[in-house]
Amino acid sequence: MNHRNRTLWLLLAGVMVLQPLNAQESNLVYPKTKTVEQVDDFHGTKVEDPYRWLEDDVRTSKDVADWVEAENKVTFDYLKSIPQRESIQKRMTELWNYEKIGAPVKRGGRYIFSRNDGLQNQNVMYKQETLESEATVLLDPNTWSKDGTVALSGSAFSDNGRYVAYGIQEAGSDWNTWKIMAIETGKVLDDELNWVKFSGAYWTPDSRGFFYARYPQPEKGAAFQSLNSNMKVYYHRVGTSQAADVLVYERPNQPDWGFQLSVSEDGHYLIITVWVGTDDRYRIVVKDLTEPYGLPYELIDNFENEFSFIDNDDHVLYFKTNVDAPNRRVIAIDLKKPSRENWKEIIPQTENALDGVGIVGNMFVCDYLKDAKTQVRLHGMDGAFVREVEFPDIGTASGFDGKRKDTDTFYSFSGFASPPTTYRYNMTTGESKLFRKADVKFNPDDYETSQIFYTSKDGTKVPMFLCHKKGLKLDGSNPTLLYGYGGFNIAITPSFSVTRI
């Protein structure tokens, strides 16, 4: 179920809280769930598991599918009987039904953006030759399945603008199938890459092929039960079968290692970021793509710190890292003298956490988390501070995609009472111009957002946001929806959600 429908369903189901009924009062009759003889012996302790059969995949098990269908009939027959449900559904649908357009990115000489007309299950990918020309559909995942459960999991455009490689994800599975389309004609080539998980496609500058990572094909029937082991990096040449793909890197003695790939903008290097588990602690492997027979070699040979590749200048590589910098900084590593004593700090850490870094218009675009909201600072290639991007309100910004020679970029901004708005940003002047604004059926000007800090018992200042109608008297007597989250080093930044409206 896609995010929009899932959230809507939960909200409508929440009406049950207003009118509690137990099973006897409502005459609910639940389907009888069968049990099976299943006992596991764990080191001498026998554990019964009579419902083990419900762990089978609903897509392949008729018994499980029939059980889900029967349970859903009870649930939705009851929900339909709630008098307020229809009016709530009408208002929720009205709010959700607004055009959602992503910030454009430039790929292969064209502008690419996503659009949803309001209630589509999946976003549609569009292409434009220029910002003034007519936009046409490039990929529409809504046509890939009747129930809307097949999604676009990723895309990658060749430098010459001829091809787009794209991933297809079915029913929320981590497994992706990658295909290639000729952009001019819209023809999908015969190339098909299977058993891809946690990887995109990374083209070489000649646009003849790309790198990707995949797992071995699971045994029959074990696709959704097998462990993620023995990931390998391959190179795929356009127009060939997956069986002909060239193995680039593997570590059979380390089956738990996974690989995230990057190709430097100049096409000189393939950077293999090695991960294990979910911590931001990586090893780094480098392959010189100008040396056809050159082997990948380790630049960072331990899992002690974060090293997120940004880009390069010739043989100097830039990384975002937390080495000697808990809030993270930008460093340069010269491949000709890669030992730690020769690393050079480009942008030092600040009091705010550095979340992401890119290079656009020959400037580092640094995305910081400042008191649980977005701060974007620009630095020259020597690390010198240039300016901070000015945002219209308290909120969250994303985007700032581009290449080294680009003079402008785009970003999307939203807040608790600010629907997503796209701005075009001039890298030379620092000017933001309104590009597109979402039209939601409510008036944002009726609301205001402010930030306060609450001092915890250990003295820590906890950032909090207040969003309310303008003129509301903050005297402690107002009904309040309070939301908080803590875990996995994830901060909840201001964002727009129609559920709050």
Side-chain angles (χ1 to χ4, degrees), residues 26-31 68-81:
S26 60
N27 297 317
L28 292 179
V29 179
Y30 289 96
V68 170
E69 183 179 0
E71 290 284 342
N72 278 341
K73 186 177 189 308
V74 174
T75 299
F76 287 102
D77 283 350
Y78 174 74
L79 291 176
K80 289 175 184 176
S81 70

Side-chain angles (χ1 to χ4, degrees), residues 220-481:
K220 186 176 181 180
F224 302 102
Q225 285 81 37
S226 58
L227 298 175
N228 297 321
S229 297
N230 297 305
M231 197 180 208
K232 299 178 182 181
V233 178
Y234 290 90
Y235 172 76
H236 176 76
R237 180 65 63 87
V238 175
T240 64
S241 70
Q242 187 174 22
D245 289 352
V246 177
L247 177 63
V248 176
Y249 188 75
E250 66 173 336
R251 288 299 295 266
N253 61 327
Q254 300 290 347
D256 295 333
W257 288 10
F259 309 117
Q260 178 63 44
L261 312 179
S262 299
V263 174
S264 60
E265 187 175 321
D266 64 4
H268 196 145
Y269 299 103
L270 169 67
I271 308 299
I272 303 173
T273 302
V274 186
W275 52 265
V276 59
T278 57
D279 288 346
D280 293 332
R281 296 184 293 179
Y282 310 127
R283 301 166 79 107
I284 299 294
V285 174
V286 178
K287 176 174 171 54
D288 188 338
L289 298 180
T290 66
E291 298 288 342
Y293 300 103
L295 296 176
Y297 63 92
E298 283 193 321
L299 178 64
I300 305 297
D301 62 358
N302 59 74
F303 286 112
E304 295 177 2
N305 293 100
E306 175 188 352
F307 290 90
S308 297
F309 178 66
I310 303 169
D311 201 23
N312 71 301
D313 275 320
D314 197 15
H315 51 80
V316 175
L317 308 186
Y318 300 110
F319 292 92
K320 173 171 69 78
T321 184
N322 60 1
V323 174
D324 299 327
N327 281 344
R328 296 182 287 277
R329 59 181 177 145
V330 175
I331 65 170
I333 300 179
D334 190 332
L335 295 179
K336 293 185 176 181
K337 42 182 181 179
S339 56
R340 182 165 176 167
E341 62 267 20
N342 294 318
W343 294 358
K344 181 181 178 182
E345 180 175 85
I346 304 299
I347 302 174
Q349 74 167 334
T350 71
E351 61 181 1
N352 301 313
L354 178 59
D355 277 351
V357 185
I359 299 179
V360 183
N362 274 325
M363 284 193 285
F364 289 102
V365 181
C366 300
D367 177 14
Y368 291 91
L369 184 66
K370 181 180 181 180
D371 297 329
K373 59 183 183 291
T374 298
Q375 179 191 53
V376 174
R377 292 164 56 93
L378 305 183
H379 293 257
M381 294 306 297
D382 59 355
F385 174 71
V386 177
R387 77 176 78 93
E388 182 175 330
V389 178
E390 296 181 5
F391 297 122
D393 198 358
I394 293 174
T396 301
S398 61
F400 296 98
D401 183 272
K403 301 290 187 181
R404 298 286 286 266
K405 294 182 179 180
D406 289 345
T407 56
D408 61 3
T409 184
F410 296 84
Y411 67 89
S412 179
F413 182 86
S414 67
F416 291 117
S418 302
T421 303
T422 300
Y423 293 88
R424 187 176 184 179
Y425 185 76
N426 188 305
M427 296 295 296
T428 304
T429 66
E431 181 185 13
S432 291
K433 283 189 176 181
L434 177 64
F435 186 70
R436 291 190 182 108
K437 187 175 183 178
D439 182 19
V440 185
K441 293 178 176 61
F442 94 114
N443 184 12
D445 294 334
D446 291 342
Y447 301 87
E448 62 181 315
T449 301
S450 60
Q451 185 172 38
I452 63 173
F453 293 85
Y454 182 88
T455 303
S456 185
K457 63 182 180 179
D458 65 354
T460 302
K461 288 188 175 181
V462 181
M464 299 175 66
F465 299 97
L466 301 179
C467 184
H468 52 82
K469 285 188 177 181
K470 289 180 178 177
L472 182 72
K473 186 176 181 180
L474 304 180
D475 58 5
S477 66
N478 303 292
T480 302
L481 174 64

